[in-house]
């Protein structure tokens, strides 16, 4: 194990790490989208919680409560998606480090690198499936009209 690495070897390692770096950039963009959705869902849940506490009509209160339950379910789903996506990003980072360490010390860790890459993609697939489930739940909620109309929030009892 000769730790001396030539400029040519280093250039090759950098070339090999470019694809995982692009994957990491894509994962970061996806995390940004999911974080934005999470923030909007939590903001909406806070508004609905306040509204629910002010409503007198049992029917409107039940609709608000159903919406709140759905919103917190969406929060839970998007949190799982963020968790799996973050795990995928961490594995991609580990993959990149492994490329450099293996190249520098001339270690035969090709199987380990393949394992990191495949596992990162599996976690990304799971994250995307959770994201799809959250989007479908949001769309279904709009289709079945479980949300109170905007004007109802002002026409109900004001304390």
């Amino acid at each position: 194990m000769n730790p001396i690495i030539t400029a040519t070897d280093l250039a090759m390692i950098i070339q090999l790490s470019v694809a995982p770096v692009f994957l990491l950039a894509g994962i970061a963009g996806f995390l940004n989208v999911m974080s934005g959705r999470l923030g909007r869902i939590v903001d909406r849940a806070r508004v609905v919680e306040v509204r629910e506490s002010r409503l007198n009509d049992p029917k409107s209160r039940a609709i608000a409560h159903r919406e709140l339950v759905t919103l917190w379910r969406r929060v839970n789903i998007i949190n799982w998606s963020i968790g799996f996506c973050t795990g995928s990003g961490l594995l991609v980072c580990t993959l990149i480090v492994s490329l450099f360490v293996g190249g520098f010390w001339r270690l035969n860790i090709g199987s380990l690198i393949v394992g990191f890459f495949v596992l990162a993609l599996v976690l990304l697939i799971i994250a995307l499936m959770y994201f799809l489930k959250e989007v479908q739940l949001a769309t279904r909620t709009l289709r079945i009209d479980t949300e109170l109309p905007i004007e109802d929030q002002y026409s109900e009892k004001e304390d």
Side-chain angles (χ1 to χ4, degrees):
M1 285 197 295
N2 185 3
I4 297 175
I5 189 166
T6 66
T8 306
D9 293 337
L10 184 59
M12 191 172 101
I13 294 169
I14 291 171
Q15 285 176 339
L16 288 174
S17 66
V18 168
V21 168
F22 278 115
L23 176 60
L24 190 59
I27 290 170
F30 184 47
L31 279 169
N32 188 33
V33 167
M34 288 189 298
S35 297
R37 284 186 73 85
L38 177 62
R40 287 192 307 276
I41 296 167
V42 168
D43 289 345
R44 174 74 178 163
R46 288 181 180 147
V47 167
V48 174
E49 281 177 341
V50 169
R51 186 186 323 161
E52 182 187 22
S53 69
R54 293 180 179 168
L55 291 171
N56 280 339
D57 177 40
K59 183 180 175 190
S60 296
R61 194 175 179 97
I63 291 171
H65 182 72
R66 261 196 326 266
E67 181 181 355
L68 197 56
V69 167
T70 302
L71 287 168
W72 286 115
R73 184 167 175 226
R74 287 177 59 198
V75 165
N76 190 33
I77 292 169
I78 206 80
N79 272 331
W80 277 102
S81 184
I82 289 170
F84 280 110
C85 195
T86 302
S88 177
L90 289 171
L91 279 168
V92 171
C93 289
T94 305
L95 166 97
I96 294 167
V97 168
S98 298
L99 283 169
F100 279 94
V101 168
F104 184 75
W105 280 297
R106 303 191 191 286
L107 302 174
N108 187 12
I109 56 172
S111 297
L112 183 66
I113 290 170
V114 167
F116 286 147
F117 186 72
V118 169
L119 190 53
L121 290 180
V122 167
L123 291 180
L124 185 59
I125 289 168
I126 294 169
L128 289 167
M129 289 171 60
Y130 271 108
F131 181 71
L132 178 62
K133 183 171 177 60
E134 189 276 325
V135 170
Q136 288 174 338
L137 181 58
T139 305
R140 192 172 351 160
T141 301
L142 291 174
R143 254 197 325 256
I144 61 174
D145 197 29
T146 58
E147 294 182 348
L148 284 174
I150 296 291
E151 56 273 1
D152 279 0
Q153 79 182 11
Y154 300 110
S155 64
E156 294 294 330
K157 175 191 164 212
E158 302 251 349
D159 290 358

